[in-house]
């Protein structure tokens, strides 16, 4: 490694340690609303992040440069940033290409979340190249995976942290769409020496505690906190089926 490469590596290591220390054993809240959701809008997401901050969250996961910029004005928690974008030639939609990575670097986030599943990416881009690109610009990468194999692969390719975000959302894990994927978290913690974040369909405080107890470094909760329409539906469905 060149002297320059060496110092980028050291900076990344420091940033990674700092992030991991801030969120260890804690809750990160995903504050996201897409343009077809009632709470869509960066001002609203900034207030959502403020509420999460006041409630004791240790970090925020957010989508899109407008939301991220607004959230950064409101609070100073570490931010995991992503950009959801659909391309015609791929099913990958979480920070799919270099273009979205560059936009996230420009707005400034602590960690870039990107799809690290084995699915083909848009424009034939490769996961390893995207990780390398982010690193070369001093940026950490959170690998959103759906299986143990993908987690280990992302680790090998140099991703900094792994999150179980995509379990239940890839064709080959679709059957696992009820509640958090506890087995995936358990296996990844056992097989990798990497920090694993538990994410996806965590809907109670008890589930969050359990996932931390089995080894997750932190938990990310989205819908159960920041999507009141879905939360309302759960109540109304339960009441209607009585
Ligand atoms: C699969 C996918 O696109 N997940 C997205 C990732 O950024 C978000 O829509 C989720 O809300 C987030 O992962 C948190 O999960 P949950 O909302 O289940 O607590």
């Amino acid at each position: 490694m060149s002297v320059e490469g060496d110092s980028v590596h050291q900076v990344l290591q420091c940033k990674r340690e700092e992030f991991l220390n801030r969120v260890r054993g804690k809750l990160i809240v995903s504050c996201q609303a897409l343009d077809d959701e009632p709470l869509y809008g960066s001002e609203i997401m900034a207030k959502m992040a403020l509420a999460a901050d006041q409630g004791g969250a240790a970090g925020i996961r957010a989508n899109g440069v407008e939301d991220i910029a607004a959230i950064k004005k409101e609070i100073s928690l570490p931010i995991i940033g992503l950009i959801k974008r659909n391309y015609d030639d791929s099913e990958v939609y979480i920070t799919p290409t270099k273009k979205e990575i560059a936009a996230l670097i420009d707005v400034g986030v602590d960690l870039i979340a990107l799809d690290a599943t084995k699915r083909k990416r848009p424009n034939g881009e490769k996961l390893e190249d995207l990780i390398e690109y982010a690193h070369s610009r001093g940026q950490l990468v959170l690998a959103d995976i759906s299986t143990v194999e993908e987690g280990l692969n992302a680790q090998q390719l140099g991703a900094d942290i792994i999150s179980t975000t995509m379990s239940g959302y890839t064709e080959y894990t679709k059957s696992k769409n009820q509640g958090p994927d506890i087995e995936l978290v358990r296996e990844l913690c056992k097989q990798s020496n990497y920090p694993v974040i538990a994410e996806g369909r965590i809907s109670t405080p008890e589930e969050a505690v359990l996932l931390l107890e089995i080894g997750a470094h932190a938990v990310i909760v989205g819908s159960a906190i920041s999507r009141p329409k879905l939360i309302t539906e759960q109540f109304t469905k339960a009441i209607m089926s009585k």
Side-chain angles (χ1 to χ4, degrees):
M1 203 180 284
S2 64
V3 176
E4 199 185 321
D6 214 20
S7 75
V8 171
H9 180 71
Q10 277 172 9
V11 169
L12 284 170
Q13 281 305 105
C14 287
K15 282 186 176 180
R16 181 172 182 265
E17 279 316 300
E18 196 188 323
F19 178 83
L20 288 171
N21 286 338
R22 285 189 74 175
V23 303
R24 179 172 289 114
K26 294 190 177 149
L27 169 71
I28 297 167
V29 177
S30 173
C31 298
Q32 300 185 39
L34 300 179
D35 57 8
D36 59 349
E37 294 183 82
L39 295 195
Y40 178 67
S42 54
E43 269 181 44
I44 300 173
M45 279 306 111
K47 293 298 176 198
M48 187 68 82
L50 178 62
D53 187 7
Q54 290 181 358
I60 299 293
R61 177 167 168 130
N63 170 39
V65 291
E66 288 84 10
D67 283 9
I68 292 167
I71 290 170
K72 284 176 67 172
K73 278 194 200 141
E74 194 77 47
I75 58 162
S76 56
L77 291 178
I79 296 182
I80 300 172
L82 62 129
I83 293 180
K84 286 183 175 168
R85 186 165 293 153
N86 289 305
Y87 285 81
D88 290 342
D89 60 341
S90 169
E91 289 172 352
V92 170
Y93 61 86
I94 296 183
T95 320
T97 74
K98 250 185 205 170
K99 195 171 158 196
E100 290 80 37
I101 294 180
L104 289 166
I105 292 172
D106 287 346
V107 69
V109 293
D110 296 272
L111 205 57
I112 290 183
L114 53 81
D115 184 306
T117 65
K118 63 184 180 188
R119 299 175 300 179
K120 183 178 134 332
R121 306 190 82 88
N123 317 321
E125 287 187 9
K126 296 231 171 328
L127 177 60
E128 50 268 47
D129 296 337
L130 297 189
I131 294 173
E132 161 89 42
Y133 173 66
H135 282 174
S136 71
R137 298 200 53 194
Q139 186 69 58
L140 296 171
V141 170
L142 175 69
D144 287 339
I145 55 89
S146 71
T147 63
V148 172
E149 181 201 356
E150 289 170 351
L152 298 178
N153 181 54
Q155 176 182 353
Q156 205 176 20
L157 295 179
D160 301 284
I161 306 171
I162 301 163
S163 191
T164 58
T165 322
M166 297 308 296
S167 170
Y169 300 96
T170 51
E171 196 53 39
Y172 42 94
T173 61
K174 245 178 21 199
S175 58
K176 297 182 164 189
N177 57 6
Q178 298 288 322
D181 192 342
I182 295 169
E183 274 324 297
L184 176 59
V185 173
R186 204 191 297 275
E187 267 312 300
L188 268 176
C189 291
K190 212 194 294 174
Q191 291 191 37
S192 79
N193 52 358
Y194 248 43
V196 175
I197 294 183
E199 175 173 0
R201 300 176 310 279
I202 301 169
S203 53
T204 66
E206 291 74 21
E207 284 173 350
V209 170
L210 172 72
L211 290 157
L212 291 169
E213 279 172 358
I214 65 169
H217 185 87
V219 290
I220 297 181
V221 179
S223 309
I225 293 175
S226 60
R227 288 200 164 99
K229 183 183 145 199
L230 289 182
I231 302 164
T232 307
E233 275 170 8
Q234 285 167 0
F235 278 89
T236 50
K237 267 189 203 147
I239 290 167
M240 300 284 273
S241 62
K242 268 271 161 207

